[in-house]
C-alpha cells in the first residue's frame, strides 16, 4: 500500500517537473534575439513546431498501439478517442503555420489558425483586453471581429509598443495596459 502511494507521488512529481521544464523552454525560446528585419513580425518560436510534431507523433504511436493491442471491452472507442487527441497538436501545428502577424504604425496584418488573413488600422480597435486563462491579448474591432495575440509569440514587444502608441488608453483595459507596458520593455506575461 505504501509503495503505491510513493509510486503515485513519483509519477505526479515527474509530470509536474516535465511540464515546468517544457514551459520554461517555451518561455525562453520566445525571447531569443531576432534579426532586425523580423522585429515587427509576430510568429511562434521553432520550439512550438517541435512540440506540435512530437505531440502528433506521440498520439499517432499510441493510436497504433491501441489498434495492435486493443482494449477488450471497448476496442473501437479507445482507438477513436486516442485518434481524436491528434487534433490537439494538429491545431497547434496549424496555428504555428498560419498565425503570423505583422505590426506597423498604420495597423496590423494578422493570420488565423484556419489560414484566413486579415488586417485592420489601429483606429479600428474598439477594446484591448488580456485573458489570463487563455494567455491572449484580445483586440475587439469595430467590425465585430476579435483578433487574439498569443503570449507564446516572438515579437510581442513591437506589438505592445504599437498598441500603446496608437490605441487610445481609454480603449485598453487597466490590466492589459500594465501588461502591454511591461511587454514593451521586453518582459512579456508569464506562460501559464
Amino acid at each position: 500500500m505504501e509503495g503505491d502511494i510513493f509510486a503515485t507521488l513519483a509519477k505526479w512529481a515527474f509530470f509536474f517537473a516535465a511540464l515546468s521544464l517544457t514551459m520554461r523552454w517555451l518561455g525562453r525560446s520566445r525571447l531569443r534575439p531576432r534579426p532586425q528585419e523580423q522585429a515587427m513580425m509576430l510568429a511562434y518560436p521553432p520550439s512550438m513546431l517541435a512540440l506540435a510534431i512530437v505531440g502528433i507523433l506521440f498520439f499517432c504511436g499510441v493510436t497504433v498501439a491501441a489498434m495492435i493491442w486493443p482494449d477488450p471491452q471497448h476496442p473501437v472507442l479507445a482507438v477513436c478517442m486516442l485518434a481524436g487527441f491528434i487534433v490537439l497538436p494538429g491545431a497547434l501545428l496549424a496555428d504555428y503555420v498560419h498565425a503570423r502577424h505583422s505590426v506597423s504604425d498604420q495597423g496590423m496584418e494578422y493570420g488565423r489558425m484556419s489560414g484566413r488573413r486579415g488586417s485592420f488600422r489601429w483606429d479600428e480597435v474598439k477594446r484591448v483586453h488580456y485573458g489570463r486563462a487563455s494567455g491572449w491579448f484580445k483586440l475587439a474591432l469595430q467590425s465585430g471581429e476579435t483578433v487574439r495575440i498569443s503570449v507564446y509569440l516572438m515579437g510581442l514587444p513591437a506589438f505592445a509598443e504599437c498598441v500603446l502608441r496608437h490605441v487610445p488608453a481609454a480603449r485598453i483595459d487597466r490590466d492589459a495596459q500594465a501588461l502591454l507596458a511591461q511587454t514593451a520593455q521586453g518582459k512579456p506575461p508569464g506562460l501559464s
Side-chain angles (χ1 to χ4, degrees):
M1 181 78 171
E2 194 172 299
D4 291 342
I5 292 172
F6 287 125
T8 301
L9 288 175
K11 288 176 189 175
W12 281 106
F14 175 77
F15 170 76
F16 283 116
L19 181 63
S20 174
L21 289 172
T22 302
M23 296 307 286
R24 185 176 295 167
W25 174 55
L26 289 173
R28 285 186 182 159
S29 66
R30 71 183 171 150
L31 299 175
R32 285 195 185 121
R34 302 171 69 201
Q36 186 60 32
E37 63 270 7
Q38 294 179 1
M40 302 302 276
M41 299 181 72
L42 284 76
Y44 284 105
S47 58
M48 197 63 83
L49 175 63
L51 194 63
I53 290 172
V54 167
I56 289 170
L57 293 174
F58 173 78
F59 285 115
C60 283
V62 171
T63 302
V64 169
M67 292 168 67
I68 295 171
W69 300 285
D71 179 1
Q73 294 178 343
H74 308 286
V76 175
L77 179 64
V79 170
C80 289
M81 283 179 51
L82 289 169
F85 279 118
I86 296 170
V87 172
L88 298 172
L92 186 61
L93 180 62
D95 210 30
Y96 175 85
V97 171
H98 297 293
R100 299 186 182 254
H101 321 295
S102 63
V103 293
S104 69
D105 285 332
Q106 290 72 41
M108 183 171 171
E109 292 181 15
Y110 61 92
R112 297 198 184 268
M113 183 188 305
S114 64
R116 198 178 111 226
R117 303 224 26 99
S119 64
F120 62 87
R121 293 184 324 273
W122 292 119
D123 61 355
E124 295 178 56
V125 177
K126 187 168 66 173
R127 196 91 191 127
V128 179
H129 171 74
Y130 178 72
R132 288 199 186 278
S134 62
W136 286 330
F137 287 103
K138 299 175 186 176
L139 288 79
L141 305 179
Q142 292 173 355
S143 65
E145 268 198 87
T146 301
V147 177
R148 292 172 178 84
I149 305 300
S150 173
V151 297
Y152 289 89
L153 294 169
M154 296 183 299
L156 283 176
F159 163 77
E161 286 176 21
C162 284
V163 171
L164 291 171
R165 191 174 31 225
H166 300 292
V167 177
R171 296 182 187 176
I172 304 173
D173 291 351
R174 192 178 326 167
D175 288 345
Q177 192 159 21
L179 285 171
L180 286 166
Q182 183 180 337
T183 302
Q185 296 173 0
K187 300 173 192 159
L191 305 179
S192 44

